[in-house]
Amino acid sequence: MSQRDLTKELLYEGVKTLVETEAPHIHLIQQKLYTLYSLAFNYFLYQSDKNPGHYIIRVEDSYLLEKLIKKSKDPSSRKFLQKLSLPRKLKYGRSMFHVDFFNFSTWANTNELPKAKIKGALIVKNATKSPFELNSAEPEDEEMLAALKALPKNYFLESLKDIAPKTITIAFEEEFEGVTPLSFSFIKEEPNERRIKGVSISSDINVDDIDY
């Protein structure tokens, strides 16, 4: 356990806040990405036991995934995500977790999941990058560029809101329609960080329940 990890008390408080927040789609607005990830991830682990099904974790890219594996603020989040990174799905208790990226080529398995069994989705956006890299397509691939440009705004989130009854989005200095902004009172505000009244909750994870 890192000295900078969240205490069990704060982890519990954060998860409890999320449990008590009735909004179906939540936006965590503060700067502390790795702290927010641990809180949201532990919330979905808790929910996966109460409400078994499929849970999706959509991270902007593999670079951010590696950073979350190394820097998330509790050992269970780090270990679970590391095991989930390959083969991008992992059974936990009676539920299945899946990971994909802000990239169409990684959505094939996600799109094949039975919609009625999808229970939640966690979306993590890197504040320093754009959601879809239009420049990543080859110059001659005009159809791909046109398809990307024609996507609805924030499609990486909206596509999951359509199929997941509960979503949590982590993105700093972003605004999304149809989501409820939320902040945690125990997270220290940065000078330029926006602040609103928030909520929180968490629970212990039994790592023995993870199949790998």
Side-chain angles (χ1 to χ4, degrees):
M1 179 175 177
S2 169
Q3 291 183 344
R4 296 185 178 182
D5 280 353
L6 291 166
T7 64
K8 287 186 177 181
E9 291 76 16
L10 288 180
L11 196 59
Y12 175 80
E13 182 181 344
V15 175
K16 182 174 182 294
T17 295
L18 291 169
V19 169
E20 293 174 349
T21 302
E22 297 182 355
H25 305 294
I26 298 171
H27 175 198
L28 304 184
I29 64 173
Q30 291 164 294
Q31 277 185 315
K32 304 298 185 180
L33 186 150
Y34 305 115
T35 295
L36 296 176
Y37 178 81
S38 282
L39 296 173
F41 182 70
N42 276 273
Y43 164 78
F44 277 123
L45 282 181
Y46 171 80
Q47 288 295 104
S48 72
D49 182 57
K50 303 292 183 182
N51 190 16
H54 293 284
Y55 291 83
I56 300 165
I57 300 175
R58 177 165 292 172
V59 181
E60 184 155 343
D61 51 34
S62 58
Y63 173 73
L64 180 56
L65 180 68
E66 289 298 322
K67 294 187 73 174
L68 290 170
I69 290 171
K70 294 177 181 178
K71 297 186 178 183
S72 293
K73 296 302 181 180
D74 73 290
S76 294
S77 292
R78 294 191 293 268
K79 181 177 180 179
F80 195 107
L81 194 55
Q82 184 176 31
K83 295 183 183 302
L84 177 61
S85 62
L86 285 176
R88 295 184 182 174
K89 65 179 180 178
L90 189 64
K91 185 179 180 182
Y92 179 78
R94 296 175 294 161
S95 293
M96 185 72 73
F97 282 76
H98 308 262
V99 66
D100 65 19
F101 304 110
F102 291 18
N103 184 310
F104 292 123
S105 65
T106 69
W107 294 7
N109 292 332
T110 306
N111 291 337
E112 293 177 357
L113 297 176
K115 302 298 186 290
K117 293 185 178 181
I118 296 175
K119 303 300 182 180
L122 172 56
I123 303 97
V124 189
K125 184 179 184 302
N126 190 336
T128 62
K129 297 189 171 207
S130 59
F132 286 101
E133 294 290 348
L134 298 181
N135 295 330
S136 63
E138 294 296 328
E140 63 270 18
D141 195 351
E142 295 181 0
E143 291 186 5
M144 176 61 75
L145 287 171
L148 289 173
K149 291 178 180 178
L151 287 175
K153 185 178 180 181
N154 301 320
Y155 188 68
F156 60 93
L157 166 60
E158 297 300 327
S159 59
L160 289 176
K161 283 172 60 182
D162 289 340
I163 60 176
K166 188 78 174 187
T167 68
I168 297 177
T169 302
I170 299 173
F172 181 61
E173 293 187 334
E174 298 277 353
E175 294 184 0
F176 305 105
E177 294 184 0
V179 299
T180 299
L182 177 66
S183 64
F184 299 93
S185 60
F186 59 82
I187 295 179
K188 184 178 179 180
E189 303 289 335
E190 299 294 335
N192 295 324
E193 187 172 343
R194 294 172 297 177
R195 183 186 181 95
I196 66 165
K197 186 177 180 180
V199 274
S200 260
I201 179 174
S202 168
S203 79
D204 293 336
I205 301 169
N206 184 357
V207 179
D208 292 336
D209 287 342
I210 302 175
D211 289 347
Y212 57 91

